[in-house]
Structures are given as C-alpha cells and as structure tokens.
Amino acid sequence: MNEVLKKGFLLGLGAAVTSKEKLDQKLRSLVDKNELSQDEARSVMQTYMDKGEMKKDEWNARQYEQTQKMAKDFGLATKEDINELRARITELEAKLDQNSEL
C-alpha cells in the first residue's frame, strides 16, 4: 500500500513540475507580448506556488492519517502510544520511590 502511495505522489509531483514549467513558459510568452506585466506574471506564479504548497500540506495530512490508521489496523504502537506509556512508567516509578522512602 505504501508503495502505491509513493508512486502516486511521484506521479503528482511530476505532473506539478511539468505544469509549473508550462505555466512559466506561458507567462513569459504573455509578458513578451506585453499582454501581462512582470509583476502580474510574478503574482500569478506566486499564487500557483501557494496553492501547490497548500495541496502538499493537505496531501501530507492525509498521508499521516492513513499511516496512523494502518498502524492501528495492524496493532502497531504509535509515537503517541509510546509517549503515553513512558509517562505512565515515569509516574509509577515516582510512586515506587515515594513508597520506598516511607
């Protein structure tokens, strides 16, 4: 399953790079024809990049959720589970230390 997600991500990344290059070429063409100013072209490109970053963050969040679900389905401990257990162990050790001092 993880390999499928990785391939899907790489496919999307390749498409994004190609799209960015094509957008850049189109914007340069419009600037050359004076149909768009340099500032407008930069603004369009920045908007495109911001949207791409937002989509990347959304994808990462979905990937994290899926990974957490898979770990739960397989019965694997998550970092949160381990940290919770460490906290409980520390608490129990402190109680044992208090009892041994009495």
Side-chain angles (χ1 to χ4, degrees):
M1 179 67 175
N2 196 18
E3 191 64 28
V4 171
L5 292 173
K6 182 179 176 182
K7 287 181 181 179
F9 173 74
L10 292 175
L11 179 64
L13 184 62
V17 168
T18 300
S19 296
K20 181 190 175 286
E21 290 172 354
K22 290 201 179 279
L23 177 63
D24 189 43
Q25 289 172 354
K26 183 65 176 175
L27 290 173
R28 285 179 195 223
S29 172
L30 291 172
V31 168
D32 290 344
K33 294 177 186 174
N34 290 321
E35 294 179 18
L36 200 63
S37 72
Q38 277 283 32
D39 289 338
E40 290 170 328
R42 275 192 218 103
S43 177
V44 169
M45 184 58 81
Q46 187 60 49
T47 300
Y48 176 81
M49 297 299 285
D50 291 344
K51 285 183 181 180
E53 191 67 29
M54 191 169 51
K55 289 295 181 188
K56 181 187 84 165
D57 292 343
E58 288 174 15
W59 190 88
N60 285 339
R62 275 190 257 139
Q63 174 71 21
Y64 179 78
E65 289 170 9
Q66 272 190 322
T67 302
Q68 292 294 353
K69 184 182 179 308
M70 286 174 52
K72 185 177 180 181
D73 290 347
F74 290 136
L76 301 175
T78 63
K79 281 185 179 181
E80 291 82 13
D81 294 334
I82 293 170
N83 289 336
E84 184 180 316
L85 289 172
R86 284 183 178 149
R88 288 177 62 195
I89 290 169
T90 301
E91 183 181 328
L92 290 170
E93 287 174 339
K95 285 181 181 180
L96 282 174
D97 286 345
Q98 286 177 349
N99 288 339
S100 67
E101 290 175 1
L102 297 176

